[in-house]
Amino acid sequence: MTRADLTLHPSFAVGPVDRRLFGGFVEHLGRHIYDGIHEPGHPTAGPGGFRRDVIELVKELGVTTIRYPGGNFVSNHRWEDGVGPVDQRPRRLDLAWHSTETNRVGLHEFQDWLDLVGSELMLAVNLGTRGLQEAVDLIEYANVPSGTTRSDQRRANGREEPFGVTMWCLGNEMDGPWQVGHRTADDYGKLAAQVAKAMRLVDTGVKLVVCGSSNRDMPTFGTWERTVLEHTYDDVDYISCHAYYQEHDGDLASFLASGADMDAFIRAVVATADHVRAVKRSAKRIDISFDEWNVWYFTRWNAQEGTFAIDEWPVAPRLLEDVYTVADAVTVGGLLITLLNHADRVTSASLAQLVNVIAPIMTEPGGPAWRQTTFFPFSLTSASAGGTSLAVHLDADTVTTSRYGEVPAVAAAATVDDHGTIRLFLQNRDVTAPATVTVDLNGFPAHSSATATGIWDDDPYAANTRDEPDRVRPRANETVAISGNVVTITLPPVSWTALTVA
Ligand code: AHR
């Protein structure tokens, strides 16, 4: 049994929890759009060809903003291909994922789908094969009400009102050699600054995300952020972070502690952004848009990659269809804890991705849709975390990991809402031992009830599949108790828990 003593106090405020922290990501990739969210022949399909069963699951997941259309895809995408009469749209080579893009679903159709799921569009512009003029054309098309060529084209294409997109990504992972149109930090920084200025001339109300490093292991990490922000600091609002984690060689202890790595990543990017701020003597603060994060078994994807025949450009192939386990869900829960603990600077984030592609929701063509294990920590956090994020004072036993050294056996984040309801999110990273947790709430007015729901299983590698879609479900933790504003709970090994104190 390990031990963790937590203290919470109303004055330990980190910052307000921005609802954009619970964003998602939909890329034209594999079976995400086609045979995922869009399947006109499916028994549940509505008028636009969108699966209603998927829409219901996306609503239940509780994703706020949705980043679109990529990802790597955006870097050789022509947005004009996806608007206008569907039967006249071109079929294009998608160089990023070696597929054929039919453009059957484009900006209008995707916004129609977002209207059905109730999420906000976050749009990326192509700064790989394209540049300033195309980005300005797109924002004119999307956000100008009427009276110009592009805005009237949108109206003629069926959308009288502007899309009104606030969140814009200035390209995607431009530091990555795999990116079509990959650039140096200097080249990208200059281009991004010019594009940002011009987009803001069209619409002063936009929020702009400049590309940070593709991950913390990139050789240019740190210098990339500094150089790009030196060029763009005055013109952008966010810098992006991307991180994917996986269990390497059976090292479950390190995998469960992935949140510690994400924590160090965020601290480093905040420090770099604040360094540029200091050098510029700027009053402005740059926030982080953590617009790709998840568990992704990247090594499995690398093993699949190969050479392709020149005539081999499939439509919606099965790509990146990871099946997630309880351990993956507990790690995703740990990453959410880290994001909440940085709510003052991480004010936008996107779980990557949403349906079929490294996704919390899976579908079969003509068949069912179901929730992967990773669905649950996200939906439970999005549904309950709110108000103000609180720093948790943690005095806990540690576990030893080969990747991250000694880390607390229990990770924790907390929020308090306007009604005084306290939510705690807890991860037991110990692979074998349960954790006894005591939470001291004596700084708060008296609370009288405590309930807890979580994810754990005798088999940490249990998963939901088409044949067994409900093998793993959230379960009530009956060990929770409250007495005199002190809450106690026992967390099973390899578990993630959402605790409500009211
Ligand atoms: O999410 C899958 C891919 O991961 C995205 O297209 C890219 O941005 C990242 O490398």
Side-chain angles (χ1 to χ4, degrees):
M1 189 80 85
T2 56
R3 174 205 56 87
D5 295 327
L6 278 56
T7 307
L8 287 186
H9 194 276
S11 63
F12 293 177
V14 173
V17 178
D18 195 312
R19 290 299 300 161
R20 288 193 177 120
L21 206 55
F22 305 109
F25 174 32
V26 171
E27 178 165 7
H28 283 251
L29 194 182
R31 294 193 309 122
H32 202 158
I33 307 260
Y34 310 114
D35 281 353
I37 68 174
H38 189 260
E39 193 185 335
H42 193 272
T44 71
F50 294 114
R51 286 180 63 154
R52 288 202 187 90
D53 56 349
V54 176
I55 289 169
E56 289 311 312
L57 286 176
V58 173
K59 284 161 78 172
E60 182 186 324
L61 185 64
V63 278
T64 51
T65 48
I66 298 188
R67 183 168 174 253
Y68 174 84
N72 296 340
F73 170 82
V74 79
S75 294
N76 86 136
H77 172 57
R78 290 169 250 208
W79 67 265
E80 304 91 329
D81 289 350
V83 303
V86 169
D87 57 1
Q88 291 168 29
R89 293 185 190 169
R91 291 167 71 88
R92 299 281 191 196
L93 300 182
D94 166 15
L95 304 180
W97 302 105
H98 206 91
S99 307
T100 296
E101 173 54 52
T102 65
N103 286 300
R104 172 64 189 80
V105 171
L107 182 55
H108 288 252
E109 294 78 20
F110 192 68
Q111 181 65 62
D112 290 345
W113 182 76
L114 287 172
D115 292 343
L116 295 170
V117 300
S119 298
E120 176 194 357
L121 179 60
M122 178 184 199
L123 208 48
V125 301
N126 173 358
L127 296 188
T129 58
R130 310 189 102 189
L132 196 155
Q133 186 59 59
E134 294 89 348
V136 167
D137 286 347
L138 176 54
I139 193 169
E140 177 188 331
Y141 185 93
N143 283 11
V144 171
S146 65
T148 67
T149 300
R150 290 295 185 188
S151 58
D152 288 341
Q153 189 186 353
R154 181 201 69 241
R155 294 169 64 227
N157 287 338
R159 261 270 159 185
E160 182 63 31
E161 296 302 320
F163 293 100
V165 182
T166 301
M167 299 289 287
W168 293 83
C169 302
L170 301 170
N172 177 69
E173 295 190 349
M174 299 308 299
D175 63 323
W178 59 86
Q179 200 70 213
V180 177
H182 151 70
R183 292 167 199 269
T184 64
D186 222 29
D187 288 349
Y188 171 67
K190 285 178 192 161
L191 175 64
Q194 288 170 352
V195 173
K197 279 189 177 71
M199 288 178 73
R200 228 185 270 284
L201 288 175
V202 178
D203 185 346
T204 52
V206 291
K207 291 196 178 293
L208 302 173
V209 185
V210 75
C211 292
S213 296
S214 303
N215 60 69
R216 195 156 84 100
D217 293 332
M218 295 298 289
T220 49
F221 174 64
T223 55
W224 172 276
E225 279 76 4
R226 192 195 67 224
T227 307
V228 165
L229 283 175
E230 280 168 358
H231 287 294
T232 60
Y233 200 91
D234 296 335
D235 301 307
V236 303
D237 304 283
Y238 299 89
I239 185 158
S240 72
C241 288
H242 290 180
Y244 293 99
Y245 296 95
Q246 68 175 91
E247 183 181 340
H248 293 275
D249 306 321
D251 183 2
L252 181 55
S254 295
F255 178 49
L256 294 173
S258 299
D261 182 77
M262 186 191 236
D263 180 78
F265 187 4
I266 292 169
R267 288 178 195 280
V269 175
V270 165
T272 307
D274 288 350
H275 163 77
V276 178
R277 176 187 186 179
V279 172
K280 287 183 174 285
R281 282 107 176 130
S282 175
K284 178 181 172 182
R285 197 187 72 178
I286 297 288
D287 281 353
I288 290 177
S289 172
F290 216 119
D291 47 42
E292 286 188 35
W293 68 271
N294 202 353
V295 169
W296 175 8
Y297 285 85
F298 202 74
T299 45
R300 289 180 203 158
W301 157 245
N302 281 346
Q304 281 169 21
E305 266 193 317
T307 49
F308 302 90
I310 189 68
D311 58 352
E312 197 187 336
W313 293 87
V315 175
R318 288 181 185 261
L319 294 177
L320 280 57
E321 299 199 3
D322 284 4
V323 176
Y324 290 120
T325 65
V326 168
D328 297 328
V330 171
T331 301
V332 163
L335 297 172
L336 282 160
I337 286 170
T338 300
L339 292 173
L340 281 171
N341 281 332
H342 288 281
D344 54 334
R345 295 303 288 269
V346 184
T347 52
S348 168
S350 307
L351 175 70
Q353 299 197 11
L354 194 58
V355 178
N356 288 333
V357 174
I358 45 172
I361 298 167
M362 295 300 288
T363 72
E364 272 303 315
W370 65 96
R371 303 165 190 82
Q372 294 231 57
T373 56
T374 52
F375 185 100
F376 302 114
F378 190 97
S379 62
L380 288 165
T381 307
S382 177
S384 59
T388 303
S389 169
L390 297 175
V392 180
H393 182 270
L394 182 66
D395 174 8
D397 290 341
T398 58
V399 289
T400 305
T401 69
S402 59
R403 280 179 175 254
Y404 311 119
E406 297 266 307
V407 297
V410 170
T415 64
V416 60
D417 67 20
D418 292 346
H419 307 290
T421 303
I422 296 166
R423 316 280 182 168
L424 267 150
F425 304 93
L426 303 166
Q427 183 202 24
N428 183 4
R429 293 161 163 169
D430 201 300
V431 174
T432 52
T436 308
V437 177
T438 305
V439 188
D440 179 343
L441 299 172
N442 281 314
F444 288 90
H447 286 71
S448 54
S449 88
T451 51
T453 309
I455 294 288
W456 69 92
D457 199 278
D458 289 343
D459 176 7
Y461 296 104
N464 292 339
T465 58
R466 180 200 171 129
D467 294 338
E468 227 185 334
D470 294 320
R471 165 70 182 78
V472 179
R473 299 285 299 181
R475 40 211 287 196
N477 187 326
E478 310 285 0
T479 67
V480 66
I482 184 163
S483 167
N485 244 10
V486 174
V487 176
T488 54
I489 186 169
T490 302
L491 306 175
V494 193
S495 66
W496 176 90
T497 300
L499 204 167
T500 300
V501 190

